[in-house]
């Protein structure tokens, strides 16, 4: 009999891409498994999951109010309704695995009510509230970062496996010689840029960053005067600036593996997925942690900073003046960076095998 596995999570690429990496690997190992996703109506999962060939169902996005208001009084009723929706979606599942995000809390509770086995993967160095709830019900817990926050309670038994990444990202570090030059040349040609000039890759996560966007736009004259080419992912919901000979703005970068290969330096936020990808491809970066949530982006960046793979600047200090004044140091660091070899076993394979083992018991 075919097994049914539900992947819960979404909102941003940091939740969706790791889930898809595991789903794709699991489908290769067990083609007869029925794999589906639960997300919210407005998350990035609605573009990426169907494109990967998996169905996605929706659950209401219930935000926990951060201050006393009428919405706080209504919240328990809305949350209970979302749990009931989760019960209906998970009733026939054999296993639920969550990756964090707004869809996860009601799904975790629904799985607990139904007695379904739950697994979770926590991508950030500091867990969000969804997986802090999920860990209470999880049969197995996987983490991408080791941190003090994960050495207490059920987190103590978590397996440190790194981040599930797409196959093309994992294969990037294996490229050598002519093969790497070919990937780089093809991508630069697609961008219609020059292979003889420095290429800066800028992105602020899947949703973009207005603060980073402003600093880059204010630095364009400096980049032009110094023959620096900029590929700038501004975010799907942000205005697209005018392109020039040396400046290529895009809403979103689909092929990140090729983009990393073609670039000489990266400027980005320090979401868990970005940090894991940078480590996998061996690319030096300037990281600007997003100052929200529980400080997870600052914690995410520390491993790369400590290994010499990144410089980290706080959001309130980063601007065009800082960038121009520190540009020479950034280029020297990028040119001198020697990446560490990556392990052969992928996190996607580890989780997939764990799912298969659990379902065979």
């Amino acid at each position: 009999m075919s097994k049914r596995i539900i992947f819960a999570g979404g909102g941003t690429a940091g939740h969706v891409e790791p889930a898809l990496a595991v789903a794709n690997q699991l489908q290769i190992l067990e083609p007869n498994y029925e794999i589906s996703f639960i997300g919210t109506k407005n998350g990035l999962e609605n573009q990426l999951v169907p494109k990967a060939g998996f169905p996605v169902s929706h659950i209401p996005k219930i935000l926990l109010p951060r201050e006393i208001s009428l919405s706080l009084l209504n919240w328990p009723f809305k949350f209970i309704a979302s749990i009931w929706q989760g019960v209906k979606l998970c009733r026939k599942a054999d296993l639920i695995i969550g990756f964090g995000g707004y869809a996860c809390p009601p799904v975790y509770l629904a799985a607990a009510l139904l007695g379904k086995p739950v697994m979770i993967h926590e991508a950030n160095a500091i867990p969000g509230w969804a997986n802090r709830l999920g860990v209470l019900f999880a049969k197995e817990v996987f983490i991408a970062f080791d941190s003090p926050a994960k050495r207490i309670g059920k987190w103590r038994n978590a397996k440190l496996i790194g981040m599930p990444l797409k196959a093309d990202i994992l294969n990037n570090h294996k490229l050598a010689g002519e093969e790497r030059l070919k990937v780089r040349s093809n991508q630069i040609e697609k961008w219609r840029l020059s292979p003889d000039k420095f290429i800066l890759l800028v992105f602020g996560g899947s949703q973009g960053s207005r603060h980073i966007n402003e600093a880059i736009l204010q630095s364009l004259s400096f980049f032009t005067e110094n023959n620096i080419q900029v590929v700038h992912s501004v975010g799907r919901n942000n205005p697209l600036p005018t392109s020039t000979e040396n400046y290529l703005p895009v809403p979103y970068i689909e092929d990140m593996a090729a983009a990393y290969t073609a670039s000489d330096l990266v400027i980005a936020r320090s979401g868990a997925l970005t940090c894991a990808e940078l480590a996998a491809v061996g690319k030096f970066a300037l990281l600007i942690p997003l100052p929200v949530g529980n400080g997870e982006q600052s914690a995410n960046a520390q491993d790369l900073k400590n290994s010499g793979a990144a410089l980290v600047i706080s959001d309130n200090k980063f601007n065009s003046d800082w960038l121009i004044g520190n540009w020479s140091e950034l280029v020297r660091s990028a040119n001198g960076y020697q990446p560490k070899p990556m392990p052969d076993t992928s996190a996607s394979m580890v989780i997939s095998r764990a799912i298969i083992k659990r379902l065979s018991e």
Side-chain angles (χ1 to χ4, degrees):
M1 182 180 295
S2 177
K3 300 294 185 180
R4 294 172 176 168
I5 299 90
I6 288 177
F7 285 68
T12 65
H15 296 303
V16 182
E17 293 285 14
L20 280 174
V22 176
N24 287 323
Q25 181 64 68
L26 184 60
Q27 195 81 88
I28 292 171
L29 296 177
E30 293 289 346
N32 293 325
Y33 278 9
E34 295 181 24
I35 297 173
S36 61
F37 281 68
I38 296 178
T40 61
K41 287 185 178 180
N42 299 321
L44 191 59
E45 59 270 25
N46 295 289
Q47 288 81 48
L48 299 183
V49 172
K51 186 176 180 180
F54 300 106
V56 56
S57 300
H58 297 129
I59 204 163
K61 179 180 178 180
I62 310 298
L63 298 175
L64 179 62
R66 297 182 182 273
E67 57 186 27
I68 297 175
S69 63
L70 288 177
S71 61
L72 181 60
L73 297 176
N74 292 329
W75 184 85
F77 302 101
K78 291 182 178 180
F79 191 58
I80 289 171
S82 70
I83 295 171
W84 176 241
Q85 178 68 12
V87 167
K88 291 190 288 185
L89 292 172
C90 296
R91 192 180 299 277
K92 295 182 179 180
D94 293 292
L95 183 145
I96 290 91
I97 179 165
F99 291 80
Y102 294 115
C104 283
V107 171
Y108 291 148
L109 290 170
L113 291 172
L114 293 167
K116 305 292 185 180
V118 173
M119 294 181 177
I120 68 170
H121 179 272
E122 175 54 51
N124 287 297
I126 301 175
W129 86 273
N131 277 348
R132 290 203 302 271
L133 173 65
V135 75
L136 300 176
F137 311 107
K139 298 293 185 182
E140 291 192 64
V141 180
F142 305 96
I143 56 177
F145 293 89
D146 190 14
S147 68
K150 295 172 183 165
R151 295 174 192 156
I152 58 175
K154 290 192 70 173
W155 292 105
R156 284 181 295 183
N157 298 319
K159 298 175 182 177
L160 180 62
I161 64 168
M163 180 74 78
L165 297 172
K166 293 189 293 186
D168 56 352
I169 294 289
L170 288 173
N171 292 332
N172 181 284
H173 78 283
K174 299 177 182 178
L175 297 176
E178 292 184 4
E179 191 176 11
R180 177 173 289 276
L181 288 174
K182 183 178 180 181
V183 172
R184 175 182 169 85
S185 177
N186 288 342
Q187 185 59 53
I188 292 174
E189 186 175 343
K190 288 180 183 178
W191 285 336
R192 297 183 179 180
L193 298 177
S194 168
D196 301 320
K197 296 180 182 179
F198 192 94
I199 296 178
L200 169 65
L201 175 64
V202 183
F203 57 94
S206 57
Q207 298 177 338
S209 165
R210 292 183 181 179
H211 180 58
I212 294 177
N213 291 352
E214 289 172 0
I216 295 302
L217 290 174
Q218 291 168 5
S219 305
L220 286 184
S221 59
F222 168 80
F223 292 139
T224 300
E225 292 167 5
N226 289 274
N227 287 321
I228 299 161
Q229 300 173 121
V230 181
V231 177
H232 184 188
S233 177
V234 301
R236 295 182 190 272
N237 297 324
N238 292 323
L240 195 65
T242 302
S243 61
T244 67
E245 182 181 353
N246 287 331
Y247 175 66
L248 175 63
V250 296
Y252 185 76
I253 297 175
E254 298 287 348
D255 190 351
M256 285 302 301
Y260 285 130
T261 303
S263 64
D264 298 296
L265 171 67
V266 173
I267 294 179
R269 291 296 191 190
S270 50
L273 179 63
T274 296
C275 290
E277 288 182 344
L278 288 168
V281 302
K283 188 65 63 175
F284 186 86
L286 170 66
L287 297 177
I288 308 148
L290 185 65
V292 296
N294 52 15
E296 65 271 16
Q297 287 214 1
S298 293
N300 294 343
Q302 285 307 305
D303 280 355
L304 291 178
K305 179 182 178 182
N306 293 342
S307 66
L311 289 178
V312 180
I313 179 71
S314 62
D315 187 75
N316 62 355
K317 292 182 179 178
F318 178 74
N319 53 41
S320 61
D321 289 338
W322 186 95
L323 179 57
I324 293 169
N326 289 273
W327 181 255
S328 296
E329 181 185 353
L330 286 169
V331 173
R332 283 195 300 271
S333 298
N335 291 337
Y337 174 57
Q338 295 295 323
K340 296 180 179 179
M342 291 292 296
D344 290 331
T345 303
S346 75
S348 300
M349 181 66 77
V350 173
I351 297 176
S352 296
R353 287 173 176 169
I355 291 172
I356 294 169
K357 181 179 179 182
R358 176 70 56 177
L359 292 176
S360 65
E361 293 176 349

